[in-house]
Amino acid sequence: MLMNSYKKQIFINAPIEKVFDFHMDTNNLLRITPRDINFKIISMNDISGVGYKVVLEIRKFYFIRSILEVEITDCIKNELMHDIQRKGIFKYWFQKRFFKVENEGTILTDIVEYIPPFGKLGEFLNWLIINRIIKKMFHFRQLKTKEILEN
């Protein structure tokens, strides 16, 4: 299987603490996810930081439904947050978020590494559409986060 990755960075004119805390609150996913990806939070545990788990139901194109369980595997306040898909449609999904102070604001870097589902068909679908959906989603998420935190 071919490992894919995508990296996106943005400057947010807000304190690093505010940007980090925004991303620690799972409820903010509802605010920064593109409208064509419909999802709801099924459950979250009470742990904050490493070991925190959330289960989401995600619908794309109104007919593709997936249950996604994600767990934070590494978390250093105001510095980084990593989470991995424990259950879900992707064969592998690992997301890293890095936070860095710059010019009295914050540089947010998202890196995702993934292996699409469905073997060779998934590799073709990634080339055809999946990689574009991921790029569009992270572009939207970062712009929406910037808009929310700067206003």
Side-chain angles (χ1 to χ4, degrees):
M1 291 290 133
L2 182 64
M3 178 74 72
N4 298 275
S5 65
Y6 178 67
K7 178 180 178 180
K8 180 90 174 124
Q9 249 182 0
I10 194 167
F11 174 79
I12 300 171
N13 192 16
I16 198 166
E17 298 83 5
K18 187 175 180 181
V19 179
F20 184 86
D21 290 346
F22 181 84
H23 282 280
M24 282 300 296
D25 184 350
T26 301
N27 292 303
N28 286 322
L29 269 176
L30 298 168
R31 301 170 69 190
I32 64 170
T33 297
R35 300 257 185 254
D36 63 337
I37 301 174
N38 185 4
F39 81 95
K40 65 181 176 181
I41 299 169
I42 295 175
S43 68
M44 309 182 265
N45 63 8
D46 292 334
I47 297 171
S48 181
V50 175
Y52 175 76
K53 290 182 185 175
V54 62
V55 179
L56 306 166
E57 178 186 88
I58 300 171
R59 290 185 185 270
K60 178 76 176 146
F61 307 121
Y62 300 101
F63 61 88
I64 298 175
R65 178 183 174 269
S66 178
I67 299 296
L68 176 65
E69 181 181 308
V70 177
E71 179 180 357
I72 293 180
T73 58
D74 200 3
C75 186
I76 301 173
K77 186 158 179 64
N78 303 328
E79 192 174 318
L80 62 86
M81 182 189 322
H82 299 169
D83 57 71
I84 192 163
Q85 171 194 274
R86 294 293 184 201
K87 294 180 185 170
I89 193 165
F90 283 85
K91 185 159 186 76
Y92 176 80
W93 179 277
F94 185 64
Q95 183 178 349
K96 301 179 239 184
R97 285 178 214 84
F98 296 96
F99 307 83
K100 181 180 170 195
V101 174
E102 188 168 299
N103 297 328
E104 298 181 25
T106 304
I107 296 287
L108 168 64
T109 304
D110 283 300
I111 300 171
V112 63
E113 299 167 342
Y114 67 97
I115 299 173
F118 314 126
K120 293 287 184 193
L121 174 61
E123 289 178 21
F124 174 72
L125 291 173
N126 184 62
W127 173 81
L128 187 66
I129 192 167
I130 293 171
N131 66 347
R132 285 187 263 264
I133 291 170
I134 289 169
K135 287 176 184 178
K136 178 183 170 192
M137 180 180 68
F138 279 97
H139 179 76
F140 181 90
R141 281 184 175 181
Q142 285 191 352
L143 286 179
K144 196 67 173 169
T145 299
K146 179 178 179 70
E147 175 188 310
I148 292 167
L149 294 178
E150 288 184 355
N151 292 324

